[in-house]
Amino acid sequence: MKRAYFVSFGLAAALLGCGDNTKKCDPGTTMDVDGVCTGTPTTCTDGTILVDGSCVIDPNSCQDGTVLVGGACVDPGHVDADIEEAAEPNALGLFGEESTASAGEISLKPVGQHFVLHGKIVPFQDVDGDGQQDPDVDTYTIEVTGPVMLKVSSDGLHGLAAGFVSIASVGATHPLAAWTRFGINPVGDTSNRMLYLPAAGTYILAVADSRTLLLAGAAPAPAEGEPEFEYYVDVELVNVTPTALTPTAGVATSMGQLQPGEVKLFSIAMGEGVNDVDLDVAIEQVTESIVIANTHNTELTIKDVTDGDQGVVTASTSVVGIRTNDQTIVVVDNLFDYAMEPYDYDLRIGVGGAGALSTSGGDVNQPAVPGSFSTFYYDVATDNVIGMNLHFSRQVTGVIIDENFFIYSRFTFTGTGFAGVFQDYRGLLNHQRSGRYYFLVFDPSGGTANITATSTYSPVVPVTITKGTPVTNQMLNVYGSNAHFYDAGVTTDPWQEFTGSGTGTGTVQVFFYRPTASFGRLDPLANSCGTPCEDRPVAVFAHGYAQTGSTLGRILLDDMTSSYFIRVRPVTQTGTPTYNLDFKPRVITDLGSVNAGASATRMDQAIDATTTIQRYLVRTPNGNGVHITTHPDQATLDTSFTLRNRDEVGIGTVNNGIAGADDTFSGIQTGNGWTAFTVTSLAPIVGGTFDLTVSTTAPATYARSTGTTAFSDACTGGNVVAMSDPDEGRSNATIATPAGFDFFSFAAPNVRVFANGFLAFDTNLACPNGANDCFFSNADIPLAASPNGIVAPYWDDLVVTGVCEKTVGTTLTIQWTGTTFTGAQAVQFQAILDGANDTIEYVYSSTQVANGSGATIGIENQVGSVASKVGFNTAMSIAPTLFTPN
């Protein structure tokens, strides 16, 4: 675990005068007994203050030559530390120190006893390679079984301004990931504070020089020949009793003064709705912090950790998920405090109520206060899919959150505000986990009358569909939306068909979701409020059918799941609607995996009045060449085959129009790693057979060398290429390449020119957003995302003043002239395609200023799986480049 913490206060030199190099007693004391000054003082020395005739410890520092241990300033020579710092490196990766070990483990002692550790801060490594020693940090671990309050002091010797920082050893999504507590002193060598560890677990106490914590990268060290920096850290467990707060009119407050390093705990009975907590302190040298911990039954949960902004904003938060009889603790704390003096605080807690939605059709009322939410909640047990029938007394806008205040379903929340209204919801809600969920709603018209919610809700257990076994006469539940679960077995049956029919259902929608991505509101709102109200999870695919029935075929290999959560909902319902579902494998020929250089064959494949279509599936790695040949066995059979996407939609048909003749296709395997196609006859036949061969080849590659062609202006004697836009555009027409030109071993008869410095052999490639965006943001190659099949002499955000093309013999030259988008750098370059040997050459004019620092230069195959890259955002000396196919 690595964290880089520092607090920059604009303080630097204040620490340079501290140091405990000699031992002195207070004036008036007469002897030194075992390191302790005794007698009756008349005045107190540095580090102590006179209180009621006695010198007591100044909480900020001890006198020179002593350290603060056990609540007293003592001679370090008389201190027996419980542990000594372990061997370096020992920072557990904090502050950039490369280490996986700790400096030791702190074992808390009973109340009234002290645990003391001793170590040295000696910079010893230069991980970042800047020629300066990096800060030394010693990290200790503390394991606690529940919340504890500690009193921690860190005292330095020989010039060390000892400080510390504490964090929780938790994952990035844990609420305590934001919990950090600094113990620092900008004017002395001793730092001390109360440290409240709010929950069971492992915490880290990292000891360093305060200057390291105050200033990023600071690595103080003693002067040559001086003693090494040392520290003593004292950790004491103390008892603490929270102060009980009682709300009045829904608000509880506490105002008072906090001593340096002090932490206060308050207990309060919070409400079942939204509870607001605000903490403000009076001085900017303290950054306030709130921790809210709630115990439900016996389980403690950290509801939130919130820090203020130094001297500007209070620490404010809102929490939900608190039940009646829970025990809630609000911790008034600070991230850091370098005031070193008492300060005032102001704590305000607003207790919010909520109404429990009825499970059986009852009503619940909540006040409507303009500018505030009316809060309703419902509980979800282990059955995480529920059906709900909900009606509000008037139109509202709102959102559903979970008990950790995370948005569960947006309803009409857009992410930045609310748009549209709704009044009813009837359908399914799928929850990732059990717990309490909250409707936060308000009337956007500003009405102040109570909002009433009438509701019924209950668990809905998905009915399992077994492959090949029809589900018949399924009745719709009272929520008008049914749930199913289907184990598709994609490995054994990658291509399947889905059939549905119904009675009294009209059109039926069947949505297929990945189980891990199906959470939220699954059905439409009764009151349409446009796009904001359609925040439902995205289905992997959907099947809509009329009640008379229909079948959908689909290849499931790209769905990233082998099982599906399914929602079935008729658009209209009459009488007592029922529906039937039948999911089963398609009848296909699975050719399996065919590696480069291998082939798969099938002989005597039948096409007749009974078998009018044959389906095939072959798998080969992305980028391989795929070559398909059908050979009719009869002179009267005219085969035709069609490539299919995952939904069986045709994406290209191959037929030479000659009965009895072979049909052939060659292409590059796309990123999904499979090719599907169907074979049929173009004319009715009594019977016939054909032979099928599918072979694959390895991806083509190019050798790259320095080009030798001198730049010659293609606009002289060439043709101007008309562009849709000189900034964000492409050529209005395709341009024919030299006869027989192949790109990555596949025919490339035409090309389009794009203003931003590249050609595309995908002549259907369009600008994503027209004149607003035509791939102005270049990308690294190879990349499966568009654009693919490109020749990029200088792909960058360009403004072209002219594009020309010129054909000489077997070569086609495309030339761009213009500037980079800012106009600061001139560009003039060419791509030369040669049909004689399929080479591609980049040539640059002497007027070219742009150096590649913001450009992609290279070629990429038709599916974005293979590329020959000269540079990506790399400043370089632009030179002619020749690409020769291997």
Side-chain angles (χ1 to χ4, degrees):
M1 177 177 61
K2 289 189 176 182
R3 300 193 189 185
Y5 285 109
F6 69 91
V7 183
S8 180
F9 301 145
L11 302 177
L15 295 166
L16 299 179
C18 61
D20 289 344
N21 300 317
T22 60
K23 180 173 67 67
K24 299 178 181 178
C25 287
D26 295 316
T29 56
T30 57
M31 65 182 66
D32 180 7
V33 179
D34 292 332
V36 179
C37 297
T38 61
T40 302
T42 56
T43 60
C44 294
T45 60
D46 292 343
T48 61
I49 55 177
L50 184 63
V51 177
D52 296 332
S54 300
C55 290
V56 298
I57 301 299
D58 182 335
N60 295 328
S61 62
C62 283
Q63 64 184 16
D64 290 345
T66 62
V67 291
L68 183 61
V69 172
C73 290
V74 298
D75 187 332
H78 295 267
V79 177
D80 292 324
D82 292 285
I83 58 171
E84 293 285 339
E85 172 199 355
E88 296 282 7
N90 55 26
L92 286 177
L94 292 180
F95 295 89
E97 183 175 307
E98 290 190 348
S99 55
T100 58
S102 73
E105 183 176 352
I106 298 172
S107 299
L108 296 178
K109 294 182 178 181
V111 174
Q113 299 183 32
H114 299 260
F115 185 93
V116 180
L117 54 93
H118 171 251
K120 296 180 180 181
I121 296 297
V122 182
F124 64 95
Q125 60 180 356
D126 180 18
V127 174
D128 57 15
D130 64 355
Q132 303 294 322
Q133 292 293 306
D134 299 330
D136 180 23
V137 179
D138 299 341
T139 299
Y140 299 84
T141 60
I142 309 173
E143 186 79 25
V144 296
T145 58
V148 296
M149 182 76 83
L150 305 177
K151 184 177 181 180
V152 181
S153 66
S154 177
D155 202 348
L157 289 169
H158 314 307
L160 174 67
F164 57 88
V165 61
S166 184
I167 61 175
S169 181
V170 295
T173 60
H174 193 283
L176 284 177
W179 184 88
T180 305
R181 297 292 179 260
F182 285 93
I184 51 178
N185 185 346
V187 294
D189 57 19
T190 303
S191 300
N192 53 78
R193 66 167 292 158
M194 304 303 292
L195 195 62
Y196 182 71
L197 310 183
T202 301
Y203 294 80
I204 286 172
L205 185 72
V207 182
D209 194 293
S210 284
R211 287 161 287 192
T212 296
L213 305 177
L214 289 164
L215 303 170
E224 186 175 353
E226 294 295 324
E228 294 179 319
F229 285 176
E230 292 183 66
Y231 61 83
Y232 286 86
V233 176
D234 182 275
V235 181
E236 178 186 2
L237 180 66
V238 296
N239 286 326
V240 60
T241 300
T243 300
L245 297 179
T246 301
T248 300
V251 177
T253 61
S254 176
M255 292 179 289
Q257 194 172 73
L258 289 167
Q259 298 300 314
E262 184 181 4
V263 176
K264 283 185 177 291
L265 274 60
F266 298 92
S267 63
I268 185 172
M270 286 191 172
E272 292 197 298
V274 179
N275 300 275
D276 301 316
V277 183
D278 299 285
L279 172 64
D280 189 22
V281 299
I283 56 176
E284 65 179 18
Q285 294 89 351
V286 175
T287 294
E288 55 270 68
S289 181
I290 304 169
V291 178
I292 300 175
N294 186 70
T295 301
H296 176 64
N297 295 328
T298 58
E299 181 180 357
L300 184 146
T301 302
I302 302 299
K303 300 300 295 183
D304 197 27
V305 176
T306 299
D307 300 327
D309 288 344
Q310 182 186 355
V312 179
V313 179
T314 60
S316 299
T317 188
S318 298
V319 295
V320 293
I322 297 174
R323 279 77 162 174
T324 301
N325 298 322
D326 283 1
Q327 297 177 343
T328 306
I329 299 295
V330 177
V331 184
V332 172
D333 204 345
N334 66 77
L335 172 66
F336 55 78
D337 169 9
Y338 64 98
M340 312 305 294
E341 62 183 31
Y343 59 91
D344 295 332
Y345 74 90
D346 184 355
L347 174 68
R348 182 189 183 281
I349 303 174
V351 175
L357 292 178
S358 171
T359 61
S360 56
D363 296 341
V364 60
N365 298 314
Q366 281 294 290
V369 180
S372 299
F373 287 113
S374 297
T375 305
F376 302 84
Y377 69 84
Y378 63 94
D379 291 319
V380 177
T382 54
D383 297 311
N384 292 334
V385 183
I386 69 166
M388 179 172 286
N389 197 344
L390 173 66
H391 172 77
F392 288 106
S393 56
R394 60 180 182 272
Q395 290 190 335
V396 297
T397 189
V399 65
I400 300 181
I401 62 170
D402 66 16
E403 58 185 83
N404 294 313
F405 227 107
F406 293 128
I407 292 176
Y408 159 69
S409 181
R410 293 202 323 264
F411 270 66
T412 58
F413 181 61
T414 65
T416 57
F418 291 89
V421 294
F422 70 100
Q423 193 164 1
D424 300 277
Y425 178 68
R426 180 172 181 249
L428 301 182
L429 296 163
N430 190 16
H431 305 79
Q432 190 169 9
R433 59 185 63 86
S434 60
R436 180 162 289 183
Y437 292 80
Y438 299 82
F439 273 98
L440 305 181
V441 301
F442 65 93
D443 180 355
S445 68
T448 58
N450 283 355
I451 296 177
T452 302
T454 306
S455 60
T456 300
Y457 73 91
S458 62
V460 173
V461 179
V463 176
T464 298
I465 298 174
T466 302
K467 186 166 47 181
T469 301
V471 173
T472 59
N473 296 318
Q474 289 290 297
M475 296 185 63
L476 282 174
N477 61 32
V478 296
Y479 308 109
S481 187
N482 285 17
H484 292 274
F485 181 82
Y486 177 55
D487 187 351
V490 175
T491 302
T492 55
D493 297 308
W495 195 340
Q496 300 185 21
E497 63 181 54
F498 305 90
T499 302
S501 62
T503 301
T505 57
T507 300
V508 176
Q509 299 171 332
V510 183
F511 285 81
F512 293 75
Y513 300 95
R514 287 193 297 272
T516 56
S518 61
F519 306 110
R521 174 176 63 86
L522 300 183
D523 292 281
L525 291 176
N527 308 52
S528 175
C529 59
T531 301
C533 295
E534 292 307 315
D535 69 318
R536 291 176 288 168
V538 177
V540 178
F541 67 100
H543 180 200
Y545 62 85
Q547 64 184 24
T548 53
S550 64
T551 297
L552 168 75
R554 182 174 172 88
I555 300 163
L556 308 178
L557 291 173
D558 297 337
D559 290 351
M560 296 183 292
T561 185
S562 61
S563 58
Y564 298 84
F565 174 80
I566 299 168
R567 188 218 73 179
V568 179
R569 182 185 182 92
V571 175
T572 59
Q573 303 173 28
T574 57
T576 305
T578 63
Y579 62 89
N580 311 306
L581 298 174
D582 186 11
F583 303 165
K584 60 186 179 182
R586 272 287 201 201
V587 177
I588 70 166
T589 299
D590 192 341
L591 300 174
S593 296
V594 180
N595 294 324
S599 63
T601 60
R602 293 294 185 271
M603 310 300 289
D604 301 324
Q605 301 293 285
I607 291 285
D608 53 33
T610 302
T611 308
T612 60
I613 188 171
Q614 294 279 12
R615 298 179 177 88
Y616 298 91
L617 180 69
V618 62
R619 277 158 278 199
T620 196
N622 180 26
N624 280 357
V626 178
H627 312 276
I628 304 171
T629 300
T630 56
H631 173 73
D633 293 329
Q634 294 82 28
T636 57
L637 179 61
D638 186 6
T639 57
S640 173
F641 64 84
T642 301
L643 301 175
R644 304 282 177 179
N645 67 13
R646 68 191 65 175
D647 292 318
E648 297 187 347
V649 175
I651 54 175
T653 296
V654 178
N655 177 256
N656 59 17
I658 303 173
D662 291 357
D663 290 310
T664 62
F665 164 81
S666 290
I668 297 181
Q669 177 57 60
T670 56
N672 51 22
W674 55 264
T675 295
F677 59 98
T678 58
V679 181
T680 187
S681 172
L682 287 184
I685 57 172
V686 175
T689 61
F690 65 91
D691 300 333
L692 172 71
T693 301
V694 179
S695 61
T696 64
T697 54
T701 59
Y702 284 77
R704 196 168 69 243
S705 60
T706 301
T708 58
T709 301
F711 182 88
S712 176
D713 190 350
C715 295
T716 301
N719 300 308
V720 173
V721 176
M723 304 292 292
S724 63
D725 187 271
D727 179 15
E728 298 299 328
R730 64 172 187 167
S731 58
N732 292 330
T734 59
I735 299 172
T737 61
F741 183 78
D742 288 348
F743 185 61
F744 281 93
S745 296
F746 291 91
N750 296 286
V751 69
R752 274 196 188 271
V753 184
F754 285 76
N756 284 320
F758 66 89
L759 308 173
F761 291 101
D762 176 4
T763 55
N764 293 317
L765 182 66
C767 300
N769 295 303
N772 295 320
D773 175 9
C774 198
F775 305 106
F776 68 80
S777 181
N778 65 305
D780 202 357
I781 54 175
L783 184 68
S786 290
N788 290 321
I790 64 171
V791 169
Y794 203 89
W795 177 16
D796 196 0
D797 191 0
L798 305 179
V799 177
V800 295
T801 56
V803 178
C804 299
E805 58 93 7
K806 184 176 184 179
T807 299
V808 178
T810 62
T811 65
L812 168 68
T813 300
I814 306 293
Q815 176 178 307
W816 292 258
T817 302
T819 66
T820 55
F821 176 71
T822 62
Q825 296 178 314
V827 294
Q828 189 173 47
F829 52 87
Q830 299 172 341
I832 303 174
L833 313 182
D834 192 339
N837 50 23
D838 296 329
T839 60
I840 302 166
E841 189 171 9
Y842 295 163
V843 181
Y844 300 88
S845 165
S846 59
T847 62
Q848 172 95 13
V849 174
N851 65 359
S853 59
T856 301
I857 302 174
I859 60 175
E860 180 191 57
N861 75 354
Q862 291 86 334
V863 296
S865 62
V866 175
S868 179
K869 179 174 63 178
V870 177
F872 170 63
N873 293 345
T874 304
M876 65 182 78
S877 177
I878 299 294
T881 303
L882 179 67
F883 300 90
T884 303
N886 290 317

